[in-house]
Each structure stands twice: as C-alpha cells, then as structure tokens.
Amino acid sequence: MTKVIENAGITIVQMANLLPVAKTVGVNRLVPTISIPYPLGDPATPPDVQFNLRHHRVGVALDALTTDIDEPKVFKVSI
C-alpha cells in the first residue's frame, strides 16, 4: 500500500515491527517499532516512559517525512 501512495506523489513513512517484511514489499521510509501488539509502547512500563517511547518514535517518523532519500532507508531510533 505504501508504494501505491508514494506513486501518487504523497510521501509516506511506515512504522513496522517486521522490518524484513516491510523491506521486501518495498517500503521507502521505515521506522522500527517496539512489538507487534504494542508498536509504540510497552504496557509493562510507567506512563511517562511510554510517553517518551511514543514521542521519540513519532518524532523520528516526522523527521523521516522531511528527509530526501535516494534509496529505501530504515531510520534509527535511539530509545
């Protein structure tokens, strides 16, 4: 689906846990997530830690939207 949207001229970032699958289907901008059931958080952590995890990953995704790329890229998350 991301390739179809990008072919229409809309830049897109996919946030995914299964990086090899996303790469196989041709995602251009990819941000890794934490897990399949909780992609942007970890319910075993306190709310402030979850907020920081989500805030950081969404920030990385927004930065990825504004980054010019020549080939598919996985954007690194530090948290």
Side-chain angles (χ1 to χ4, degrees):
M1 181 59 97
T2 59
K3 288 195 86 133
V4 173
I5 294 170
E6 288 218 349
N7 287 338
I10 301 169
T11 303
I12 190 167
V13 174
Q14 182 167 343
M15 299 178 82
N17 185 293
L18 301 171
L19 299 180
V21 174
K23 289 177 184 177
T24 301
V25 296
V27 174
N28 287 324
R29 291 173 178 82
L30 181 61
V31 174
T33 58
I34 297 168
S35 68
I36 293 173
Y38 306 105
L40 294 179
D42 181 357
T45 60
D48 60 325
V49 173
Q50 284 192 51
F51 176 83
N52 290 335
L53 286 170
R54 292 178 178 139
H55 186 267
H56 177 70
R57 278 183 167 65
V58 170
V60 171
L62 291 172
D63 289 340
L65 277 174
T66 61
T67 302
D68 290 330
I69 60 171
D70 295 327
E71 59 185 37
K73 180 176 181 177
V74 176
F75 290 82
K76 295 184 182 190
V77 292
S78 61
I79 297 178

Coordinates of all heavy atoms in Angstrom, one line a residue:
M1 N 0.8 -1.2 0.0 CA 0.0 0.0 0.0 C 0.9 1.3 0.0 O 0.5 2.2 -0.6 CB -0.9 0.0 1.2 CG -1.8 1.2 1.3 SD -2.9 1.4 -0.1 CE -4.4 0.6 0.4
T2 N 2.0 1.2 0.7 CA 2.8 2.4 0.7 C 3.4 2.8 -0.6 O 3.5 4.0 -1.0 CB 4.0 2.2 1.7 OG1 4.8 1.1 1.3 CG2 3.5 2.1 3.1
K3 N 3.7 1.8 -1.5 CA 4.2 2.1 -2.8 C 3.1 2.8 -3.6 O 3.4 3.7 -4.4 CB 4.7 0.8 -3.5 CG 6.0 0.3 -2.9 CD 6.6 -0.7 -3.8 CE 7.4 0.1 -4.8 NZ 8.7 -0.3 -5.1
V4 N 1.9 2.4 -3.5 CA 0.8 3.0 -4.3 C 0.6 4.4 -3.8 O 0.5 5.3 -4.7 CB -0.5 2.2 -4.0 CG1 -1.7 2.9 -4.7 CG2 -0.4 0.8 -4.6
I5 N 0.7 4.7 -2.5 CA 0.5 6.1 -2.0 C 1.7 6.9 -2.5 O 1.5 8.1 -3.0 CB 0.4 6.1 -0.5 CG1 -0.9 5.4 -0.1 CG2 0.4 7.5 0.0 CD1 -1.0 5.1 1.4
E6 N 2.9 6.4 -2.4 CA 4.1 7.2 -2.9 C 4.0 7.4 -4.4 O 4.4 8.5 -4.9 CB 5.4 6.5 -2.5 CG 5.6 6.7 -1.0 CD 7.0 6.9 -0.6 OE1 7.9 6.8 -1.5 OE2 7.3 7.3 0.5
N7 N 3.5 6.4 -5.2 CA 3.4 6.6 -6.6 C 2.4 7.7 -7.0 O 2.5 8.3 -8.0 CB 3.0 5.3 -7.3 CG 4.2 4.3 -7.3 OD1 5.4 4.7 -7.2 ND2 3.9 3.1 -7.5
A8 N 1.5 8.0 -6.0 CA 0.5 9.1 -6.2 C 1.1 10.4 -5.9 O 0.5 11.5 -6.0 CB -0.7 8.8 -5.4
G9 N 2.4 10.4 -5.4 CA 3.1 11.7 -5.1 C 3.0 12.1 -3.6 O 3.4 13.2 -3.3
I10 N 2.6 11.2 -2.7 CA 2.4 11.5 -1.3 C 3.6 10.8 -0.6 O 3.6 9.5 -0.6 CB 1.1 11.1 -0.8 CG1 0.0 11.8 -1.5 CG2 1.0 11.4 0.7 CD1 -1.4 11.3 -1.2
T11 N 4.4 11.5 0.1 CA 5.5 10.9 0.9 C 4.9 10.2 2.1 O 4.0 10.7 2.8 CB 6.5 12.0 1.4 OG1 7.0 12.6 0.2 CG2 7.6 11.3 2.1
I12 N 5.4 9.0 2.4 CA 4.8 8.2 3.5 C 5.9 7.5 4.3 O 7.0 7.2 3.7 CB 3.8 7.2 3.0 CG1 3.0 6.5 4.1 CG2 4.5 6.1 2.1 CD1 1.8 5.7 3.6
V13 N 5.7 7.4 5.6 CA 6.6 6.6 6.4 C 5.8 5.5 7.0 O 4.7 5.7 7.5 CB 7.2 7.5 7.6 CG1 8.0 6.7 8.5 CG2 8.0 8.7 7.0
Q14 N 6.4 4.3 6.9 CA 5.8 3.1 7.6 C 6.5 2.8 8.9 O 7.7 2.7 8.9 CB 5.8 1.9 6.7 CG 5.1 0.7 7.3 CD 4.8 -0.4 6.3 OE1 4.8 -0.2 5.1 NE2 4.5 -1.5 6.8
M15 N 5.7 2.7 9.9 CA 6.3 2.2 11.2 C 5.9 0.8 11.3 O 4.7 0.4 11.3 CB 5.7 3.1 12.3 CG 6.0 4.5 12.2 SD 5.3 5.6 13.4 CE 6.5 5.3 14.7
A16 N 6.9 -0.1 11.5 CA 6.7 -1.5 11.5 C 7.6 -2.3 12.4 O 8.7 -1.8 12.6 CB 6.8 -2.1 10.1
N17 N 7.2 -3.4 12.9 CA 8.0 -4.3 13.7 C 8.8 -5.3 12.8 O 9.9 -5.6 13.1 CB 7.1 -5.0 14.7 CG 7.9 -5.8 15.7 OD1 8.5 -6.8 15.3 ND2 7.9 -5.4 16.9
L18 N 8.1 -5.8 11.8 CA 8.7 -6.8 11.0 C 9.5 -6.1 9.8 O 9.0 -6.0 8.7 CB 7.7 -7.7 10.5 CG 6.9 -8.5 11.6 CD1 5.7 -9.2 11.0 CD2 7.8 -9.4 12.3
L19 N 10.7 -5.7 10.1 CA 11.5 -4.9 9.1 C 11.8 -5.7 7.9 O 11.7 -5.2 6.8 CB 12.8 -4.4 9.8 CG 12.7 -3.5 11.0 CD1 14.0 -3.1 11.5 CD2 11.8 -2.3 10.6
P20 N 12.1 -7.0 7.9 CA 12.4 -7.7 6.7 C 11.2 -7.8 5.8 O 11.3 -7.7 4.6 CB 12.8 -9.1 7.2 CG 13.3 -8.9 8.6 CD 12.5 -7.8 9.1
V21 N 10.0 -7.9 6.3 CA 8.8 -8.0 5.5 C 8.5 -6.6 4.9 O 8.2 -6.5 3.7 CB 7.5 -8.4 6.4 CG1 6.3 -8.3 5.6 CG2 7.7 -9.8 6.9
A22 N 8.7 -5.5 5.6 CA 8.5 -4.2 5.1 C 9.5 -3.9 4.0 O 9.2 -3.3 2.9 CB 8.6 -3.2 6.2
K23 N 10.7 -4.3 4.2 CA 11.7 -4.1 3.1 C 11.4 -4.9 1.9 O 11.6 -4.5 0.7 CB 13.1 -4.6 3.6 CG 13.7 -3.7 4.7 CD 15.0 -4.2 5.1 CE 15.6 -3.4 6.3 NZ 16.9 -4.0 6.8
T24 N 10.9 -6.1 2.0 CA 10.5 -7.0 0.9 C 9.4 -6.4 0.1 O 9.5 -6.5 -1.2 CB 10.1 -8.4 1.4 OG1 11.2 -9.0 2.2 CG2 9.7 -9.3 0.3
V25 N 8.5 -5.7 0.7 CA 7.4 -5.2 -0.1 C 7.7 -3.8 -0.6 O 6.9 -3.2 -1.3 CB 6.0 -5.1 0.7 CG1 5.6 -6.5 1.1 CG2 6.2 -4.3 2.0
G26 N 8.9 -3.3 -0.3 CA 9.3 -2.0 -1.0 C 9.0 -0.7 -0.2 O 8.8 0.3 -0.9
V27 N 9.0 -0.7 1.1 CA 8.8 0.5 1.8 C 10.1 1.4 1.7 O 11.2 0.9 1.8 CB 8.6 0.2 3.3 CG1 8.5 1.4 4.1 CG2 7.3 -0.7 3.5
N28 N 9.8 2.6 1.4 CA 11.0 3.6 1.2 C 11.5 4.2 2.5 O 12.7 4.3 2.7 CB 10.6 4.7 0.2 CG 10.5 4.2 -1.2 OD1 11.3 3.3 -1.6 ND2 9.5 4.7 -1.9
R29 N 10.6 4.6 3.4 CA 11.0 5.1 4.7 C 10.4 4.3 5.8 O 9.2 4.1 5.9 CB 10.4 6.6 4.8 CG 11.1 7.5 3.9 CD 10.4 8.9 3.9 NE 11.1 9.9 3.1 CZ 10.9 10.0 1.8 NH1 10.1 9.2 1.2 NH2 11.6 10.9 1.1
L30 N 11.2 3.7 6.6 CA 10.8 2.8 7.6 C 11.3 3.1 9.0 O 12.5 3.4 9.1 CB 11.3 1.4 7.2 CG 10.9 0.2 8.1 CD1 9.4 0.0 8.1 CD2 11.5 -1.1 7.6
V31 N 10.4 3.2 10.0 CA 10.8 3.4 11.3 C 10.4 2.2 12.2 O 9.3 1.7 12.2 CB 10.0 4.7 11.9 CG1 10.3 4.8 13.4 CG2 10.4 5.9 11.2
P32 N 11.4 1.6 12.8 CA 11.1 0.4 13.6 C 10.2 0.7 14.8 O 10.3 1.7 15.4 CB 12.5 0.0 14.1 CG 13.5 0.7 13.3 CD 12.8 1.9 12.8
T33 N 9.4 -0.3 15.2 CA 8.5 -0.2 16.3 C 9.0 -1.2 17.4 O 9.9 -1.9 17.2 CB 7.0 -0.4 16.0 OG1 6.9 -1.7 15.4 CG2 6.5 0.7 15.0
I34 N 8.2 -1.2 18.5 CA 8.7 -2.0 19.7 C 8.2 -3.5 19.6 O 9.0 -4.4 19.7 CB 8.1 -1.3 20.9 CG1 8.8 0.1 21.1 CG2 8.5 -2.2 22.2 CD1 8.2 0.9 22.1
S35 N 6.9 -3.7 19.3 CA 6.4 -5.1 19.3 C 5.2 -5.1 18.4 O 4.6 -4.0 18.1 CB 6.1 -5.6 20.7 OG 5.0 -4.9 21.2
I36 N 4.7 -6.3 18.1 CA 3.5 -6.4 17.3 C 2.3 -5.9 18.0 O 1.5 -5.1 17.5 CB 3.4 -7.8 16.7 CG1 4.5 -8.1 15.7 CG2 2.0 -8.0 16.0 CD1 4.6 -9.5 15.2
P37 N 2.0 -6.4 19.2 CA 0.7 -6.0 19.8 C 0.8 -4.5 20.4 O -0.2 -3.9 20.5 CB 0.5 -6.9 21.0 CG 1.9 -7.5 21.3 CD 2.6 -7.5 20.0
Y38 N 2.0 -4.0 20.6 CA 2.1 -2.7 21.2 C 3.2 -2.0 20.4 O 4.4 -1.8 20.9 CB 2.5 -2.7 22.7 CG 1.5 -3.5 23.5 CD1 1.8 -4.7 24.0 CD2 0.2 -3.0 23.7 CE1 0.9 -5.5 24.7 CE2 -0.7 -3.7 24.5 CZ -0.3 -5.0 24.9 OH -1.2 -5.7 25.7
P39 N 2.9 -1.5 19.2 CA 4.0 -1.0 18.3 C 4.7 0.3 18.9 O 5.9 0.5 18.6 CB 3.3 -0.7 17.0 CG 1.9 -0.7 17.3 CD 1.7 -1.5 18.5
L40 N 4.0 1.1 19.6 CA 4.5 2.4 20.0 C 4.6 2.5 21.6 O 4.8 3.6 22.1 CB 3.8 3.6 19.5 CG 3.8 3.7 18.0 CD1 3.0 4.9 17.6 CD2 5.3 3.9 17.5
G41 N 4.5 1.4 22.2 CA 4.6 1.4 23.7 C 4.8 0.1 24.3 O 4.9 -0.9 23.6
D42 N 5.0 0.1 25.6 CA 5.2 -1.2 26.4 C 4.3 -1.0 27.6 O 4.7 -0.3 28.5 CB 6.6 -1.3 26.7 CG 6.9 -2.6 27.5 OD1 6.0 -3.3 27.8 OD2 8.1 -2.8 27.8
P43 N 3.2 -1.7 27.7 CA 2.3 -1.6 28.9 C 2.9 -2.0 30.2 O 2.3 -1.6 31.2 CB 1.1 -2.4 28.5 CG 1.6 -3.4 27.5 CD 2.7 -2.7 26.8
A44 N 4.0 -2.6 30.2 CA 4.7 -3.0 31.4 C 5.5 -1.9 32.0 O 6.1 -2.0 33.1 CB 5.6 -4.2 31.2
T45 N 5.6 -0.7 31.3 CA 6.4 0.4 31.8 C 5.5 1.5 32.3 O 4.3 1.5 31.9 CB 7.3 1.0 30.6 OG1 6.4 1.4 29.6 CG2 8.3 -0.1 30.1
P46 N 6.0 2.4 33.1 CA 5.2 3.5 33.6 C 4.7 4.4 32.5 O 5.3 4.5 31.4 CB 6.1 4.3 34.5 CG 7.3 3.3 34.8 CD 7.3 2.4 33.7
P47 N 3.6 5.2 32.7 CA 3.1 6.0 31.7 C 4.1 7.1 31.1 O 4.1 7.3 29.9 CB 1.9 6.8 32.3 CG 1.5 5.8 33.4 CD 2.8 5.1 33.9
D48 N 5.0 7.6 32.0 CA 5.9 8.6 31.5 C 7.0 8.0 30.5 O 7.4 8.6 29.5 CB 6.6 9.3 32.6 CG 7.4 8.4 33.5 OD1 7.0 7.3 33.7 OD2 8.5 8.8 34.0
V49 N 7.3 6.7 30.8 CA 8.2 6.0 29.9 C 7.6 5.7 28.6 O 8.2 5.9 27.5 CB 8.8 4.7 30.6 CG1 9.6 3.9 29.6 CG2 9.6 5.0 31.8
Q50 N 6.3 5.3 28.6 CA 5.6 5.0 27.4 C 5.4 6.3 26.6 O 5.6 6.3 25.3 CB 4.2 4.5 27.7 CG 4.2 3.0 28.1 CD 2.8 2.5 28.2 OE1 2.0 2.6 27.2 NE2 2.4 1.9 29.3
F51 N 5.1 7.4 27.2 CA 5.0 8.7 26.5 C 6.3 9.0 25.8 O 6.3 9.4 24.6 CB 4.7 9.8 27.5 CG 4.7 11.2 26.8 CD1 3.5 11.6 26.1 CD2 5.8 12.0 26.8 CE1 3.5 12.8 25.4 CE2 5.8 13.2 26.2 CZ 4.6 13.6 25.5
N52 N 7.5 8.8 26.5 CA 8.8 9.1 25.9 C 9.0 8.2 24.7 O 9.6 8.7 23.7 CB 9.9 9.0 26.9 CG 9.8 10.2 27.9 OD1 9.3 11.2 27.6 ND2 10.4 9.9 29.1
L53 N 8.7 6.9 24.8 CA 8.9 6.0 23.7 C 8.1 6.4 22.5 O 8.6 6.5 21.3 CB 8.4 4.6 24.1 CG 9.3 3.8 25.0 CD1 8.6 2.5 25.5 CD2 10.6 3.4 24.3
R54 N 6.8 6.8 22.7 CA 5.9 7.2 21.6 C 6.3 8.5 21.0 O 6.4 8.6 19.8 CB 4.5 7.3 22.1 CG 3.9 5.9 22.4 CD 2.5 6.0 23.0 NE 2.0 4.7 23.3 CZ 1.3 4.4 24.3 NH1 1.0 5.3 25.2 NH2 0.9 3.2 24.5
H55 N 6.6 9.4 21.9 CA 7.0 10.8 21.4 C 8.3 10.7 20.5 O 8.4 11.3 19.5 CB 7.3 11.7 22.6 CG 7.6 13.1 22.2 ND1 8.8 13.6 22.1 CD2 6.7 14.1 22.0 CE1 8.8 14.8 21.8 NE2 7.5 15.2 21.7
H56 N 9.3 9.9 21.0 CA 10.5 9.8 20.2 C 10.3 9.1 18.8 O 10.7 9.6 17.8 CB 11.5 9.0 21.0 CG 12.8 8.7 20.2 ND1 13.7 9.7 19.9 CD2 13.3 7.6 19.6 CE1 14.7 9.3 19.2 NE2 14.5 8.0 19.0
R57 N 9.5 8.0 18.8 CA 9.3 7.3 17.5 C 8.5 8.1 16.6 O 8.8 8.1 15.4 CB 8.7 5.9 17.8 CG 9.7 4.9 18.2 CD 9.2 3.5 18.4 NE 10.2 2.5 18.4 CZ 11.1 2.4 19.4 NH1 11.2 3.3 20.3 NH2 12.0 1.4 19.4
V58 N 7.5 8.8 17.0 CA 6.7 9.7 16.2 C 7.6 10.8 15.6 O 7.5 11.2 14.5 CB 5.4 10.2 16.9 CG1 4.7 11.3 16.0 CG2 4.5 9.1 17.1
G59 N 8.5 11.4 16.5 CA 9.4 12.4 16.0 C 10.3 11.9 15.0 O 10.6 12.6 14.0
V60 N 10.8 10.7 15.1 CA 11.7 10.1 14.1 C 10.9 9.9 12.8 O 11.4 10.2 11.7 CB 12.2 8.7 14.5 CG1 12.9 8.0 13.4 CG2 13.2 8.9 15.7
A61 N 9.6 9.5 12.9 CA 8.8 9.4 11.7 C 8.6 10.7 11.0 O 8.6 10.8 9.8 CB 7.5 8.7 12.0
L62 N 8.3 11.8 11.8 CA 8.2 13.1 11.2 C 9.4 13.6 10.5 O 9.4 14.2 9.4 CB 7.7 14.1 12.2 CG 6.3 13.9 12.8 CD1 6.0 14.8 13.9 CD2 5.3 14.0 11.6
D63 N 10.6 13.3 11.1 CA 11.9 13.7 10.5 C 12.1 12.9 9.2 O 12.6 13.4 8.2 CB 13.0 13.4 11.5 CG 13.1 14.4 12.6 OD1 12.5 15.5 12.5 OD2 13.7 14.0 13.6
A64 N 11.6 11.6 9.2 CA 11.8 10.8 8.0 C 10.9 11.4 6.9 O 11.4 11.3 5.7 CB 11.4 9.4 8.3
L65 N 9.8 11.9 7.2 CA 9.0 12.5 6.1 C 9.7 13.7 5.4 O 9.4 13.9 4.2 CB 7.6 13.1 6.7 CG 6.5 12.0 6.9 CD1 5.4 12.7 7.7 CD2 6.1 11.4 5.6
T66 N 10.5 14.4 6.1 CA 11.1 15.6 5.5 C 12.6 15.3 5.0 O 13.2 16.2 4.6 CB 11.2 16.7 6.6 OG1 12.0 16.3 7.7 CG2 9.8 17.1 7.0
T67 N 13.0 14.0 5.1 CA 14.3 13.6 4.6 C 14.3 13.2 3.2 O 13.5 12.3 2.8 CB 14.9 12.5 5.5 OG1 14.9 12.9 6.9 CG2 16.3 12.1 5.1
D68 N 15.1 13.8 2.4 CA 15.2 13.3 1.0 C 16.1 12.1 1.0 O 17.1 12.0 1.6 CB 15.9 14.4 0.1 CG 15.0 15.6 -0.1 OD1 13.8 15.4 -0.1 OD2 15.6 16.7 -0.3
I69 N 15.6 11.0 0.3 CA 16.3 9.8 0.2 C 16.4 9.4 -1.3 O 15.6 9.7 -2.1 CB 15.6 8.7 1.0 CG1 14.2 8.4 0.5 CG2 15.6 9.0 2.5 CD1 13.5 7.2 1.1
D70 N 17.4 8.6 -1.6 CA 17.6 8.1 -3.0 C 17.3 6.6 -3.1 O 17.1 6.1 -4.1 CB 19.1 8.3 -3.4 CG 19.4 9.8 -3.5 OD1 18.5 10.6 -3.9 OD2 20.6 10.1 -3.3
E71 N 17.3 5.9 -1.9 CA 17.0 4.5 -1.8 C 16.3 4.2 -0.5 O 16.3 5.1 0.4 CB 18.3 3.7 -1.9 CG 19.3 4.0 -0.8 CD 20.6 3.2 -1.0 OE1 21.0 3.1 -2.2 OE2 21.2 2.8 0.0
P72 N 15.6 3.1 -0.4 CA 14.9 2.8 0.8 C 15.8 2.9 2.1 O 17.0 2.6 2.0 CB 14.5 1.3 0.6 CG 14.4 1.2 -0.8 CD 15.5 2.0 -1.4
K73 N 15.3 3.4 3.2 CA 16.1 3.7 4.3 C 15.3 3.3 5.6 O 14.1 3.6 5.7 CB 16.5 5.1 4.4 CG 17.3 5.5 5.6 CD 17.8 6.9 5.6 CE 18.6 7.2 6.8 NZ 19.1 8.6 6.8
V74 N 16.0 2.7 6.5 CA 15.5 2.4 7.9 C 16.0 3.5 8.8 O 17.2 3.6 8.9 CB 15.9 1.0 8.4 CG1 15.4 0.8 9.8 CG2 15.3 -0.1 7.5
F75 N 15.1 4.3 9.4 CA 15.6 5.3 10.3 C 15.7 4.8 11.7 O 14.9 4.0 12.2 CB 14.5 6.5 10.3 CG 14.5 7.2 9.0 CD1 13.8 6.7 7.9 CD2 15.2 8.4 8.8 CE1 13.8 7.4 6.7 CE2 15.2 9.1 7.6 CZ 14.5 8.6 6.5
K76 N 16.9 5.1 12.3 CA 17.2 4.5 13.6 C 16.5 5.3 14.7 O 16.3 6.5 14.7 CB 18.7 4.6 13.8 CG 19.5 3.7 12.8 CD 20.9 3.7 13.1 CE 21.6 2.8 12.0 NZ 22.9 2.5 12.2
V77 N 16.1 4.5 15.7 CA 15.5 5.1 16.9 C 16.5 4.8 18.1 O 17.1 3.7 18.1 CB 14.1 4.5 17.3 CG1 13.1 4.9 16.2 CG2 14.2 3.0 17.3
S78 N 16.7 5.8 18.9 CA 17.7 5.6 20.0 C 17.1 5.2 21.3 O 17.8 4.8 22.2 CB 18.4 6.9 20.2 OG 17.5 7.9 20.6
I79 N 15.8 5.2 21.4 CA 15.2 4.8 22.7 C 14.6 3.4 22.6 O 13.9 3.1 21.6 CB 14.2 5.8 23.2 CG1 14.8 7.1 23.5 CG2 13.5 5.3 24.4 CD1 13.9 8.2 23.9

